[in-house]
Amino acid sequence: MKKRMLKSVFAVAAAISGNLSLAWGQLPDGWDGDRLLALVDGDMAATAYADGKLHPIPTAKDVLFSIPQVVPSEETTRAQNTASVPNTVMGWPGSMVVSTDQRFAYVVSSRGSVAKSVSEFDDGVFSGMPVTETLSVIDLSTMTLAAEQSVCRKPMSVDIAPNNSWLLVACGDAMQELAIVPLVDGLPEPPRAIDLDLVSYSERDVDAGATYGKVHPSGASAAIVLSNRAVGLVRFEQDAEGVPLDGVAEAPIETKRWLSVGRWTKSGNHFLVADTGWGPAATDAVMNKNSDIVSFALSPDDTRRGVVSTARVSKSPEAMEFNRDKDLLAVVNMERTYLPGGFPTGLFRHRKASSLSLVKVDDETGELATLGKPMTFRGVLPEDAVFDADGDHIAVVVYQDHGRPRSDGWVTFFRIDGTGDNRRPVETGVRVPLPRGGHDLAAID
C-alpha cells in the first residue's frame, strides 16, 4: 500500500547559543482537531534528573504554546499563540487540564524557577528546586493569564470534574493530600483542603502525599496515587452544586511498583496506572527493566479491589492516554533517555531512543493486551501523548534531542495503521518544533 505522506509547514528561526527558538508550526494533514497545547519548562535539561546539571538557557521561559491546525497569517505574532505560565517537568504528566467547554487551561506547578546563574545542584534537582503552591488559569481565547492562586504545598497534578464545577489537585504533602478548587464561570474560588485519614497506610519509607489524582467519571469519587507506591479510592461528601466538601479514603492498595499517571476506563470500574519500573533509590532508574500498565479493580459501586491485569510495555512508561472510544491506550516509554553520556551511565543501553506502545483495553473486565512490539523513535524524555478526535493519529511531545543538553524539543506525530488487534503506530516524519522542555499536551477540538 502506498505510504500516506503528511506535511507540516513551518518557518525556522535562527539558532542562538545552540538553542533553536520556536518556529511557527501547524498540525499535520489528517489530524482531527483545532489545536494542541504544549507546556514547556524553561529551567532544566532532561539529564538534570541524573546529574543535577541544569544547562540553563538565558532566554528560556516557562510557556504554554498553542499549535494551530491552520498556519497563522504573517501579521499574527507568535506571542498571540503563547502564554507565560509557571510550570515544571518535575512531576508526572498531569500538570495541565482543559475545561470541558475548552475555554480555560488549568496548570499547576510544584516547583519554582531559579536564577539563570544557577547551573548545578550538588544534591540533585529535587533538593535544589524550590517548592511552590501555584495554580494558574489561562484564557484560551486570548492566551492570557486569567487567574493565579495558591492551592496547596507541592501541587502534583490537576483534573477537572465532569460537570466543570471544580478541580481536583493532588498535593505532595502528607498533611494535606488533596485540594478541591470550586469553579465559578471557569474561574477558581478559594481551595478546600482535604487531609485523608490513612492510618492503615503505614508501611512506607517516605510519605510523599498524593503524587497523582484522577476524578471518577461520575464526579462523586477519585482515584489517587500515594507516594508513587499505592492506589486508593476517595469518596466525596458534596455540596448542593456537587463540589466536594470532604473526602473519605478507603484502604489503599499497596504495591512494590513505582506508579506514575492513571486513567479511568470508560465504565469507571477500573483504574489503569503506568508502572515506571523505578523505585526510590537513584540507581533504580538506571537498572530498571521493562515494565507494565496495571489495571486495578477500583469501582466505587462495589467492593472489588486489586490488580486484575497487566500489560508489558517497555522501560520507563511514564505517560499514557486513551483514544476517544477508550479501547486503546498509547503508552510513551522514555526508556533510559534521561541518562547523560559518559562513565558510568553511558555504559547502559536504551539511552539512544524512546518508544511508543499500544495497549488494548477491555472495558467490561479491565483486561489489558499489548499490541505488537514497541515502536522506537528519536527523542529524549518524551513526556506526554494525546490522540486526535477520531483516534487515528497520536501526538507525542519530546523534551529535547540527543547529545546536546541545550537542544530543542518537538512534537512528533504517529498514525494508527490496521484494525483490531493488528493496530500499530507508524511514525509520520512530521515534527513541530518547540523549545527545550516540552512535557504536557492537551488536544483542543
Side-chain angles (χ1 to χ4, degrees), residues 396-428:
V396 176
V397 63
V398 170
Y399 197 86
Q400 67 183 65
D401 204 354
H402 299 270
R404 295 182 296 120
R406 292 184 177 85
S407 59
D408 291 276
W410 58 83
V411 179
T412 189
F413 294 87
F414 301 80
R415 70 174 185 269
I416 302 296
D417 275 6
T419 59
D421 290 353
N422 294 318
R423 287 174 288 184
R424 299 290 186 271
V426 176
E427 195 166 12
T428 65

Side-chain angles (χ1 to χ4, degrees), residues 363-386:
D363 186 64
E364 182 177 349
T365 65
E367 290 290 320
L368 308 177
T370 307
L371 302 182
K373 296 180 180 181
M375 179 187 174
T376 59
F377 63 93
R378 185 178 184 87
V380 172
L381 208 71
E383 284 281 315
D384 206 2
V386 291

Side-chain angles (χ1 to χ4, degrees), residues 12 21-22 25 39 47 53 64 67 93 125 134 144 175 181 187 305 307 365 371 378 393 400 403 407 414 424:
V12 178
S21 60
L22 178 72
L39 277 178
T47 50
K53 297 178 180 179
L64 175 64
I67 303 169
V125 291
T134 308
T144 56
M175 303 304 294
V181 182
L187 298 178
R305 296 290 180 271
V307 175
T365 65
L371 302 182
R378 185 178 184 87
H393 285 82
Q400 67 183 65
S407 59
F414 301 80
R424 299 290 186 271

Side-chain angles (χ1 to χ4, degrees), residues 27-310:
L27 299 173
D29 290 349
W31 182 271
D32 187 5
D34 181 65
R35 54 179 164 155
L36 281 180
L37 302 178
L39 277 178
V40 170
D41 180 350
D43 293 309
M44 59 183 265
T47 50
Y49 281 121
D51 60 16
K53 297 178 180 179
L54 303 180
H55 296 283
I57 298 172
T59 58
K61 299 177 181 179
D62 289 355
V63 181
L64 175 64
F65 288 101
S66 176
I67 303 169
Q69 178 65 262
V70 179
V71 177
S73 66
E74 294 182 1
E75 292 78 19
T76 304
T77 66
R78 187 173 67 203
Q80 289 177 276
N81 267 25
T82 63
S84 295
V85 57
N87 69 87
T88 180
V89 70
M90 293 180 61
W92 306 123
S95 56
M96 175 171 61
V97 71
V98 174
S99 60
T100 55
D101 57 11
Q102 301 188 336
R103 293 173 57 205
F104 298 103
Y106 304 93
V107 178
V108 293
S109 186
S110 61
R111 302 280 180 164
S113 297
V114 294
K116 298 299 182 183
S117 59
V118 177
S119 61
E120 184 175 358
F121 293 116
D122 292 338
D123 295 327
V125 291
F126 286 100
S127 296
M129 285 291 191
V131 172
T132 57
E133 304 179 343
T134 308
L135 166 71
S136 303
V137 184
I138 302 298
D139 184 329
L140 295 178
S141 65
T142 59
M143 293 298 289
T144 56
L145 182 68
E148 189 173 71
Q149 68 178 30
S150 295
V151 285
C152 63
R153 182 181 182 275
K154 201 183 293 184
M156 301 297 291
S157 72
V158 61
D159 196 23
I160 193 164
N163 66 1
N164 213 43
S165 66
W166 54 276
L167 300 174
L168 173 76
V169 179
C171 308
D173 185 350
M175 303 304 294
Q176 181 197 325
E177 292 87 355
L178 299 176
I180 302 299
V181 182
L183 299 174
V184 176
D185 195 26
L187 298 178
E189 296 286 293
R192 301 172 181 177
I194 296 182
D195 178 16
L196 301 174
D197 183 7
L198 296 169
V199 176
S200 61
Y201 180 48
S202 58
E203 297 182 5
R204 57 196 185 280
D205 301 326
V206 176
D207 190 342
T211 49
Y212 190 82
K214 198 73 174 173
V215 181
H216 188 266
S218 68
S221 60
I224 56 172
V225 179
L226 296 160
S227 300
N228 304 304
R229 297 283 192 86
V231 174
L233 181 72
V234 179
R235 300 175 187 270
F236 294 124
E237 174 191 346
Q238 297 172 297
D239 63 19
E241 285 72 40
V243 180
L245 297 167
D246 202 356
V248 177
E250 299 185 355
I253 304 165
E254 298 190 48
T255 76
K256 294 183 179 180
R257 301 174 181 272
W258 198 253
L259 305 172
S260 60
V261 307
R263 295 290 185 269
W264 284 103
T265 56
K266 189 173 185 178
S267 65
N269 290 330
H270 300 88
F271 190 60
L272 313 182
V273 187
D275 170 20
T276 62
W278 306 339
T283 56
D284 292 337
V286 179
M287 307 296 292
N288 59 324
K289 299 179 180 179
N290 288 359
S291 198
D292 306 304
I293 304 302
V294 186
S295 175
F296 290 88
L298 207 65
S299 171
D301 300 323
D302 57 41
T303 58
R304 291 180 300 154
R305 296 290 180 271
V307 175
V308 299
S309 182
T310 61

